[in-house]
Amino acid sequence: MTTSFLEFLIVIALLELTPGPNMAWLATLTLERGRRAGLSAVLGVGAGLALYLCAALAGLGALLAQQPQLLAGLRWLGVAYLVYLACEPWLERLWTRPQAAGPPEDAAPHRLRHFAQGLTLNLLNPKAALFYVTLLPRFTDEAAGPVWLQSLWLGLIHVGVATGVHVVIVLAAARLSPWLQAGQRRTLLNIFFTLALLSIAAWLAWEGLGQG
């Protein structure tokens, strides 16, 4: 392994282990809807990362450099979507009848919806866009071969690491769900994750105002 590749592994490990919108939302979704829903969302998040990788290989970085307002628009759409995801469980409780404690296992149409939500969340995540258009190119070297092939290889490693971390989060949340759903813990946990998502949305908004 080269020093550059080891640095890349350290960077993506730190990025994926740092709490963010994907982590908080996947845990919330799994506790609310079950393991299958969480894993469907993980596939959506992974698909979003793969699309960003393809866009980066097609020259998205140059486009964002010429049109910085595109990244700003992406950031504000992401903020709005995080607020929606934070409020969604509470809105669903208002619109549906109370259910027994414990997350229901969703049917296939609902899992498709969770896949789409995971895909949308990641496509509206400015951090994911910045990773592929600004950070990834720093670990490529023209002397080592075709840059696009290096970018593809590094991007696939990132997608694999991110997906692995997200799967662990979902499985851990599903395993702890019976205990976390008992008594008042479910309401307290929902409040915690709602505040976590809203805090991340506020942080992204603050960053956007600071760069505006």
Side-chain angles (χ1 to χ4, degrees):
M1 285 188 187
T2 65
T3 302
S4 179
F5 184 65
L6 288 174
E7 291 175 349
F8 177 74
L9 291 179
I10 292 172
V11 167
I12 61 174
L14 291 174
L15 284 175
E16 295 307 321
L17 293 176
T18 301
N22 290 335
M23 198 176 287
W25 177 67
L26 287 171
T28 304
L29 178 65
T30 303
L31 291 171
E32 282 289 323
R33 296 296 179 182
R35 182 179 58 187
R36 291 181 182 176
L39 292 176
S40 298
V42 168
L43 290 177
V45 171
L49 291 175
L51 286 176
Y52 266 126
L53 173 58
C54 293
L57 294 175
L60 178 63
L63 176 62
L64 288 178
Q66 296 173 358
Q67 305 289 337
Q69 65 270 23
L70 291 178
L71 186 60
L74 184 70
R75 179 185 301 276
W76 289 108
L77 286 173
V79 169
Y81 196 64
L82 278 172
V83 172
Y84 162 73
L85 290 176
C87 298
E88 183 188 32
W90 304 98
L91 295 175
E92 285 190 351
R93 290 188 180 188
L94 291 176
W95 296 336
T96 59
R97 292 179 299 176
Q99 298 177 349
E105 288 291 348
D106 285 1
H110 293 98
R111 292 198 294 272
L112 181 60
R113 174 192 173 194
H114 300 315
F115 173 89
Q117 287 180 321
L119 175 63
T120 304
L121 177 62
N122 227 46
L123 290 179
L124 296 180
N125 184 357
K127 301 299 181 183
L130 286 172
F131 174 83
Y132 283 102
V133 302
T134 63
L135 189 59
L136 187 64
R138 298 183 183 180
F139 294 95
T140 60
D141 182 3
E142 292 183 0
V147 172
W148 73 267
L149 189 58
Q150 295 177 57
S151 298
L152 176 62
W153 171 241
L154 294 174
L156 290 176
I157 291 174
H158 174 247
V159 173
V161 171
T163 301
V165 171
H166 295 153
V167 167
V168 169
I169 292 170
V170 168
L171 295 180
R175 187 171 185 82
L176 294 173
S177 179
W179 181 80
L180 293 173
Q181 297 280 355
Q184 295 297 318
R185 296 191 190 107
R186 179 175 184 177
T187 299
L188 292 175
L189 200 65
N190 285 337
I191 293 173
F192 171 78
F193 281 118
T194 296
L195 292 176
L197 288 172
L198 291 176
S199 297
I200 294 169
W203 173 49
L204 289 176
W206 179 259
E207 279 192 338
L209 290 174
Q211 296 173 7

